Amino acid sequence: MNYFEFYDIPEAFLLDEKALKNKYYQLSREFHPDFYANESEQKQQEILQLSTQNTNAYRTLIDTDLRMQYILKEYGLLEEGKNELPSDFLMEMMELNEELMELEFNFDADKLHEIGEKSNGITAQLDNDILPTLQRYPDLHGVTKEEALQEIKTYYLKKKYLLRIKETLSKFAARS
């Protein structure tokens, strides 16, 4: 059973996190192993599995990135080695990576700040561009679910790429 079905909520990229938390706590109480101590070994195992599934579902669905990754994987859209990014984005990232390599040899705090601002700006633009699709999903008008999922997949992969750049920036910042 997938996590959305487990929580009896519609599949969505944007969730009511308070309602999700309430459902998690409700199921945590319902499936707490201590309440089943006098049950059969089989029933105790079943409850333990449900309790574990509840925890895993909550950890996945409460985190925006993990939720996105989960939905994309459910549709078979995130496959190892088959996740391509648009060439224009890769060219833009190549420029940022070259600037980062220059910092390796000739550190400049102002340049580090500038690269950080660029990557933050790109991330903000990506977030802004995808928001309407995330808000409408799964009730899409004018695009198919498959098209929306492909758009979200591209966004997810770009965001992951930018996260690696930000991690590199953090390492530079820590050294300075």
Side-chain angles (χ1 to χ4, degrees):
M1 174 181 298
N2 87 27
Y3 293 159
F4 293 100
E5 291 170 359
F6 184 74
Y7 278 134
D8 194 28
I9 58 175
E11 179 181 278
F13 288 98
L14 303 176
L15 297 177
D16 178 345
E17 292 183 3
K18 185 177 180 189
L20 181 67
K21 186 180 277 190
N22 289 338
K23 185 71 171 184
Y24 166 72
Y25 285 131
Q26 174 203 337
L27 293 177
S28 291
R29 287 186 297 276
E30 185 178 331
F31 301 134
H32 197 285
D34 289 350
F35 296 133
Y36 297 87
N38 295 329
E39 296 289 333
S40 69
E41 185 68 33
Q42 183 180 354
K43 183 67 172 179
Q44 288 180 28
Q45 280 298 97
E46 178 187 329
I47 294 301
L48 185 58
Q49 287 175 344
L50 289 169
S51 177
T52 300
Q53 184 168 8
N54 184 41
T55 300
N56 291 340
Y58 181 72
R59 286 181 181 157
T60 299
L61 296 181
I62 199 67
D63 182 288
T64 307
D65 292 331
L66 290 177
R67 181 183 330 126
M68 189 172 289
Q69 179 185 44
Y70 177 78
I71 293 171
L72 292 170
K73 281 185 176 180
E74 283 289 298
Y75 287 96
L77 294 173
L78 290 181
E79 299 178 45
E80 202 65 39
K82 295 185 178 182
N83 299 317
E84 295 183 17
L85 286 164
S87 58
D88 59 331
F89 176 79
L90 290 173
M91 291 300 289
E92 190 175 9
M93 293 304 101
M94 190 168 74
E95 290 174 22
L96 274 180
N97 281 314
E98 286 173 358
E99 292 178 37
L100 283 171
M101 286 189 328
E102 287 178 29
L103 282 180
E104 186 77 44
F105 300 108
N106 187 16
F107 183 78
D108 178 345
D110 291 336
K111 188 67 174 171
L112 176 68
H113 179 74
E114 179 186 322
I115 297 169
E117 290 298 309
K118 276 185 195 177
S119 67
N120 288 338
I122 294 167
T123 301
Q125 187 63 50
L126 285 174
D127 291 344
N128 192 46
D129 290 348
I130 199 66
L131 187 59
T133 302
L134 297 177
Q135 289 171 329
R136 289 190 317 263
Y137 186 90
D139 301 321
L140 304 159
H141 303 288
V143 295
T144 66
K145 187 173 184 177
E146 292 76 23
E147 290 170 329
L149 287 168
Q150 284 297 331
E151 182 183 344
I152 293 165
K153 173 187 174 182
T154 300
Y155 162 80
Y156 174 79
L157 294 172
K158 286 178 178 181
K159 191 172 173 188
K160 270 184 66 174
Y161 195 105
L162 283 162
L163 183 59
R164 288 192 299 268
I165 288 178
K166 289 179 182 187
E167 288 170 354
T168 302
L169 287 168
S170 295
K171 289 176 188 172
F172 276 116
R175 289 193 294 192
S176 60

